[in-house]
Amino acid sequence: MFLLLPFDSLVVNLLGISITVLFTLLLVFIIVPAIFGVSFGIRKVYMKTLLRIFQWATLRIERGAKEKNHPLYKPYVNGIIAKEPTSLEEEIKEIRRSGSGKALDTPEFELSDIFYFCRKGIETIMDDEVTKRFSAEELESWNLLSRTNYNFQYISLRLTVLWGLGVLVRYCFLLPLRIALAFTGISLLVTGTTVVGYLPNGRCKDFLSKHVHLMCYRICVRALTAIITYHDRENRPRNGGICVANHTSPIDVIILASDGYYAMVGQIHGGLMGVIQRAMVKACPHVWFERSEVKDRHLVARRLTEHVQDKSKLPILIFPEGTCINNTSVMMFKKGSFEIGATVYPVAIKYDPQFGDAFWNSSKYGMVTYLLRMMTSWAIVCSVWYLPPMTRQPEEDAVQFANRVKSAIARQGGLVDLLWDGGLKREKVKDAFKEEQQKLYSKMIVGSHEDRSRS
Amino acid sequence: WGSAPATSLLSLAVTSEQIEHLHRRFKQLSQDQLTIRKENFDSIPDLEFNPIRGKIVHAFFDKRNLRQESDGLADEINFEDFLTIMSYFRPIEMNMDEEQLDRFRKEKLKFLFHMYDSDHDGKITLQEYRNVVEELLSGNPHLEKESARSIADGAMMEAASICVGQMGPDQVYEGITFEDFLKMWQGIDIETKMHVRFLNVDTIAHCY
């Protein structure tokens, strides 16, 4: 009764054959290279073709806009107001000089002193550095994803067709392929590490564990069509060190771990993540914390120190910003990992937003939505730079060391080095910062006031 | 958002691009509501840096600055009010004549005057002056209250001598009036300094 129509069996057969072909192709071109760590270069060709298509699309939009004689909607990147670069002291000196002719070293408060703070305040109200960093970086050319396009009305018919094709390709071809790969990767990871966990401790176990991890991460990398360029691989982290990188998305872990064998640090989650975490720790010693332990900084520091001091254990992978930043800047590093006293291997990761924006705005998207967005983008293109190792000098404290590492990472990745705390995305400013500016000003006024009263 | 009356906005002589920028900013601060309250300014982390943060935020809700007839504080402001406050910080234009420049300058100085004069009585008393100095010098844990006070007192005496000249021993200086305030700012080109310039972005911002 199922095969009522004569060509039904034909359809079923065709379906069966195409699925077999698909899976064979999958195996040969994607999974086997992943196991051995080689690459056919298919992704690079794909990337070049895409770039050419994007350029064409952008030209069409610009032409369309010119025809209709409208200005193009190009988003700005640098902020909307010109902030005066003068410092507190310079400005107050200048105002006082032009006013009552008194210099800064006369210790009085002037009515006009309020002016500098007033203007700075209005400037930040109009446009502030920190909030900008938290929305996705804005593009200059269109990458055929409707989520990044603001110029819809200038698209011609040809371009719409191309965009439609793009949607078809991404959702009907790439997405199922990627989901299949991801599924394969994760299940291999869980089963592989569990099996390896049954082996007795020794060189064999370590060898197998390393390769199981690497293989599965490489499959996941291909599941996202991530095209990664590694620079300076001779600086890769070694045992007993801490690997520190800037954080843009959860994918950072996969990117780094597919090129090196690390011990992860993090909180144990429930659900699928928890299953993966528990399986991984059977094969090699990752550092997972219970939710209650995470708050206890001393406990965390102690466990990390123990891990690091054991030279046979793997380098730890830590993201000190604490939250995902939109990859145009590097925010303040939390000092915890820098207090431990191990060698720090900084790594800079920079994503190319042209193919897909990897930034996870956790207040806007949940994890599943985010992963779906990633899997329906064209590709994830990024560069990873391994920087030379750094150690804490005797005269610096943990915070200064953290800032030094942060500057190195920001400079290498071409990101802006910001003082602000990434945690600000959700919390309020710590009081310590409020005092800095006030201290500077009061030092200026009071310091000299005390001199005068003494003389 | 086209409900803002065009006439009052024209008088601000800001370009439509700049108004769109400011409107985006307003929407960001108000979290897509039509009005802003004092609490909305808490979402600007950079502002915490500023010792007179309280006075600046207060200035946005001060009815004298909003050019309203009544006195006191508003609870919330809409986009038009926001633009009104921002207009105190617009840069001078090349084609302004003497009278316009003078009015421009007075407006900006009035804004600063209102910052000092927190009880709205038209005078900056010694107590109000002390408040401002204490706020500016607050947050320095090593500074004692007495030091801040004596600095303020010294400055107030200085101000009195500029405004009233020599005072007799029984004379009490009630406070700095706006005319006296103007005298103290003589020589300072506030109109060229008290502005925020827009970057020359030659394209328009997003449309939602």
Side-chain angles (χ1 to χ4, degrees):
Chain A
M1 200 179 71
F2 182 58
L3 298 168
L4 273 181
L5 300 162
F7 41 80
D8 250 355
S9 58
L10 196 63
V11 167
V12 170
N13 278 339
L14 273 176
L15 210 64
I17 294 177
S18 50
I19 291 182
T20 322
V21 168
L22 193 70
F23 271 106
T24 323
L25 279 176
L26 212 80
L27 203 70
V28 170
F29 283 108
I30 300 180
I31 296 188
V32 168
I35 296 177
F36 294 105
V38 297
S39 170
F40 281 130
I42 301 179
R43 282 174 287 158
K44 292 247 156 62
V45 171
Y46 170 66
M47 186 171 87
K48 289 204 180 73
T49 327
L50 277 180
L51 272 175
R52 269 207 283 266
I53 298 180
F54 295 162
Q55 271 171 355
W56 182 82
T58 318
L59 279 171
R60 298 290 310 195
I61 294 183
E62 284 175 355
R63 208 192 309 170
K66 272 198 200 104
E67 277 166 16
K68 298 199 184 148
N69 233 347
H70 287 168
L72 251 193
Y73 287 66
K74 265 192 231 149
Y76 55 81
V77 181
N78 286 321
I80 60 174
I81 57 176
K83 297 219 172 129
E84 302 285 325
T86 49
S87 72
L88 174 65
E89 291 184 57
E90 282 166 33
E91 283 232 27
I92 296 199
K93 260 191 225 173
E94 210 192 311
I95 293 201
R96 285 190 180 182
R97 212 175 321 151
S98 54
S100 49
K102 288 205 195 117
L104 190 65
D105 34 313
T106 58
E108 274 137 37
F109 174 78
E110 288 284 315
L111 208 61
S112 47
D113 287 352
I114 199 180
F115 170 68
Y116 171 83
F117 293 103
C118 180
R119 206 196 67 219
K120 276 283 176 222
I122 298 283
E123 274 177 0
T124 56
I125 291 179
M126 277 179 97
D127 185 25
D128 94 324
E129 282 285 346
V130 176
T131 328
K132 257 204 311 256
R133 303 288 161 195
F134 289 119
S135 51
E137 193 185 345
E138 291 153 336
L139 285 184
E140 301 225 322
S141 79
W142 189 39
N143 59 354
L144 289 181
L145 294 173
S146 58
R147 57 188 85 134
T148 53
N149 184 270
Y150 304 104
N151 298 309
F152 265 132
Q153 53 262 56
Y154 303 125
I155 302 180
S156 61
L157 181 65
R158 253 189 268 183
L159 213 50
T160 319
V161 167
L162 188 66
W163 175 74
L165 261 178
V167 171
L168 208 68
V169 166
R170 279 186 295 125
Y171 280 84
C172 302
F173 174 60
L174 287 178
L175 183 64
L177 180 67
R178 286 173 181 165
I179 292 185
L181 276 175
F183 187 68
T184 320
I186 294 180
S187 35
L188 269 178
L189 183 65
V190 172
T191 47
T193 44
T194 319
V195 164
V196 171
Y198 286 124
L199 292 175
N201 286 346
R203 275 191 42 202
C204 185
K205 181 177 184 185
D206 290 339
F207 177 76
L208 277 178
S209 167
K210 174 172 179 177
H211 283 274
V212 164
H213 275 98
L214 280 175
M215 176 183 85
C216 298
Y217 282 120
R218 285 193 200 123
I219 298 181
C220 289
V221 157
R222 281 159 171 79
L224 293 164
T225 319
I227 305 170
I228 311 171
T229 319
Y230 295 100
H231 303 262
D232 303 328
R233 292 178 82 221
E234 66 273 7
N235 290 326
R236 272 191 307 173
R238 303 205 188 127
N239 282 8
I242 300 185
C243 176
V244 158
N246 59 319
H247 201 29
T248 306
S249 90
I251 296 177
D252 291 343
V253 177
I254 302 180
I255 289 179
L256 285 181
S258 61
D259 190 47
Y261 188 31
Y262 298 100
M264 312 278 170
V265 175
Q267 194 184 315
I268 289 241
H269 291 98
L272 181 63
M273 274 294 323
V275 170
I276 301 177
Q277 285 176 320
R278 272 178 268 266
M280 279 167 67
V281 83
K282 287 194 189 124
C284 92
H286 297 288
V287 186
W288 302 126
F289 292 102
E290 299 292 328
R291 175 165 282 208
S292 48
E293 291 173 331
V294 170
K295 295 272 161 55
D296 185 351
R297 281 189 53 216
H298 293 292
L299 177 66
V300 170
R302 195 159 43 89
R303 277 186 69 180
L304 289 178
T305 321
E306 276 168 16
H307 185 108
V308 154
Q309 277 164 355
D310 184 349
K311 290 295 172 202
S312 69
K313 293 212 176 130
L314 308 163
I316 304 182
L317 181 58
I318 289 190
F319 297 100
E321 276 162 313
T323 185
C324 295
I325 313 295
N326 78 348
N327 208 235
T328 55
S329 62
V330 181
M331 294 219 153
M332 196 177 91
F333 278 5
K334 297 204 185 327
K335 63 182 170 132
S337 24
F338 298 92
E339 285 172 330
I340 298 176
T343 320
V344 168
Y345 295 87
V347 176
I349 307 179
K350 174 80 178 141
Y351 289 87
D352 186 349
Q354 262 204 317
F355 294 89
D357 184 16
F359 166 52
W360 183 31
N361 190 344
S362 55
S363 46
K364 230 172 150 190
Y365 304 110
M367 177 64 111
V368 179
T369 326
Y370 171 71
L371 281 176
L372 271 176
R373 273 172 66 101
M374 283 301 100
M375 292 200 186
T376 55
S377 309
W378 291 111
I380 298 189
V381 179
C382 63
S383 289
V384 174
W385 286 272
Y386 291 104
L387 298 167
M390 294 181 164
T391 41
R392 190 169 91 169
Q393 305 297 324
E395 66 279 358
E396 17 175 53
D397 66 0
V399 176
Q400 289 167 328
F401 181 40
N403 284 334
R404 193 158 60 93
V405 172
K406 180 164 76 81
S407 305
I409 292 183
R411 220 173 320 132
Q412 181 61 270
L415 308 162
V416 175
D417 187 2
L418 280 188
L419 186 59
W420 278 105
D421 188 344
L424 273 180
K425 206 165 74 178
R426 278 176 279 271
E427 306 164 8
K428 293 200 49 134
V429 181
K430 294 196 193 61
D431 286 325
F433 284 136
K434 265 203 241 178
E435 296 178 51
E436 283 308 316
Q437 198 83 358
Q438 292 165 314
K439 275 204 194 131
L440 175 62
Y441 177 67
S442 49
K443 244 187 275 181
M444 271 166 33
I445 304 283
V446 177
S448 28
H449 179 84
E450 279 164 359
D451 286 338
R452 187 174 78 143
S453 52
R454 244 182 278 134
S455 61
Chain B
W1 64 280
S3 60
T7 44
S8 59
L9 291 177
L10 276 178
S11 64
L12 296 178
V14 189
T15 67
S16 57
E17 289 170 35
Q18 292 167 347
I19 296 186
E20 283 201 51
H21 280 308
L22 286 173
H23 190 245
R24 267 186 98 207
R25 182 60 174 162
F26 182 84
K27 277 180 83 159
Q28 197 181 35
L29 287 175
S30 71
Q31 288 160 357
D32 282 338
Q33 304 293 314
L34 288 172
T35 56
I36 293 186
R37 300 173 159 270
K38 279 211 177 140
E39 299 77 57
N40 294 109
F41 286 96
D42 292 343
S43 62
I44 308 174
D46 271 351
L47 200 54
E48 297 289 318
F49 248 174
N50 203 309
I52 52 168
R53 178 189 177 280
K55 290 226 178 318
I56 295 177
V57 173
H58 192 100
F60 274 82
F61 296 88
D62 190 339
K63 285 199 182 156
R64 299 174 291 177
N65 291 338
L66 295 172
R67 302 176 208 260
Q68 286 173 16
E69 296 309 316
S70 53
D71 204 5
L73 282 183
D75 287 325
E76 48 186 21
I77 53 174
N78 59 21
F79 182 54
E80 205 187 327
D81 298 325
F82 186 73
L83 280 185
T84 312
I85 304 287
M86 287 302 175
S87 71
Y88 287 102
F89 286 83
R90 72 192 196 276
I92 55 173
E93 282 124 47
M94 294 299 118
N95 54 1
M96 282 185 162
D97 60 21
E98 276 298 318
E99 195 196 311
Q100 279 180 318
L101 267 178
D102 193 47
R103 204 164 17 124
F104 202 63
R105 183 189 158 84
K106 280 221 175 77
E107 272 180 23
K108 297 194 182 220
L109 287 175
K110 242 209 163 188
F111 185 82
L112 289 177
F113 183 77
H114 291 158
M115 265 202 186
Y116 275 96
D117 179 23
S118 39
D119 63 0
H120 303 215
D121 63 354
K123 283 200 290 273
I124 304 177
T125 58
L126 181 59
Q127 192 51 47
E128 285 166 344
Y129 206 107
R130 278 183 188 155
N131 277 343
V132 174
V133 176
E134 273 168 19
E135 257 189 51
L136 277 173
L137 298 178
S138 64
N140 184 347
H142 307 295
L143 186 64
E144 279 149 25
K145 247 189 151 188
E146 281 72 51
S147 309
R149 275 190 141 203
S150 58
I151 294 175
D153 292 352
M156 192 68 172
M157 284 217 295
E158 184 74 36
S161 65
I162 295 180
C163 306
V164 182
Q166 280 293 77
M167 290 199 300
D170 299 330
Q171 258 185 307
V172 169
Y173 185 51
E174 275 161 22
I176 308 177
T177 60
F178 187 55
E179 282 66 39
D180 298 335
F181 192 75
L182 284 179
K183 255 191 257 179
M184 299 180 72
W185 285 85
Q186 233 164 32
I188 305 179
D189 292 333
I190 195 68
E191 57 273 17
T192 56
K193 293 197 163 43
M194 186 162 154
H195 62 248
V196 178
R197 279 193 198 287
F198 278 96
L199 277 178
N200 190 13
V201 194
D202 49 22
T203 50
I204 311 179
H206 316 283
C207 249
Y208 290 100

